[in-house]
Amino acid sequence: MSNINRDDGSVELNDPPAFNYGEKVKSKKMVRNDGTFGGKDVGEILVKKGEIGYVTSIGTFLQQFYIYGVEFVETGYKVGMRKKELEPIEVVAEEAQK
């Protein structure tokens, strides 16, 4: 457990989650299986950079970070990701109605 990167010591949990349930997001990086995704080999690609998904759950890790369960449309995989690994996708239809 000594190799866990706790970043700069900031505690995301002091603020509300960055993403909401059902929010459309895009992966900012490629994600490989670290051994926690059953049925896939360690190192196998689970999420490609730029892949689109929806937030289906919000949990925490190390009492410091939010972990967003994101279901990715292309593969159907649900993967836990951090805020820094995701970016929101603005819905053009909603903005057009304003």
Side-chain angles (χ1 to χ4, degrees):
M1 296 260 296
S2 63
N3 62 348
I4 294 176
N5 182 359
R6 293 188 65 108
D7 288 341
D8 61 3
S10 65
V11 179
E12 288 180 10
L13 303 183
N14 290 336
D15 298 316
F19 304 104
N20 295 311
Y21 291 97
E23 188 166 347
K24 188 176 184 180
V25 293
K26 178 169 68 170
S27 175
K28 292 169 74 173
K29 62 178 264 185
M30 179 178 57
V31 177
R32 294 181 181 271
N33 186 11
D34 62 1
T36 59
F37 193 95
K40 298 290 178 186
D41 292 333
V42 173
E44 193 169 341
I45 296 172
L46 300 175
V47 178
K48 298 174 192 163
K49 182 178 180 179
E51 198 167 335
I52 304 296
Y54 293 87
V55 176
T56 59
S57 64
I58 302 172
T60 62
F61 181 64
L62 296 175
Q63 299 177 338
Q64 184 177 6
F65 307 111
Y66 285 108
I67 298 295
Y68 302 93
V70 179
E71 189 164 336
F72 288 92
V73 178
E74 186 176 319
T75 60
Y77 296 156
K78 183 176 177 183
V79 179
M81 300 187 72
R82 299 225 357 238
K83 172 185 168 184
K84 68 181 185 177
E85 299 172 319
L86 298 168
E87 63 184 61
I89 301 292
E90 294 184 1
V91 180
V92 177
E94 286 180 11
E95 289 183 5
Q97 292 175 2
K98 291 181 182 180

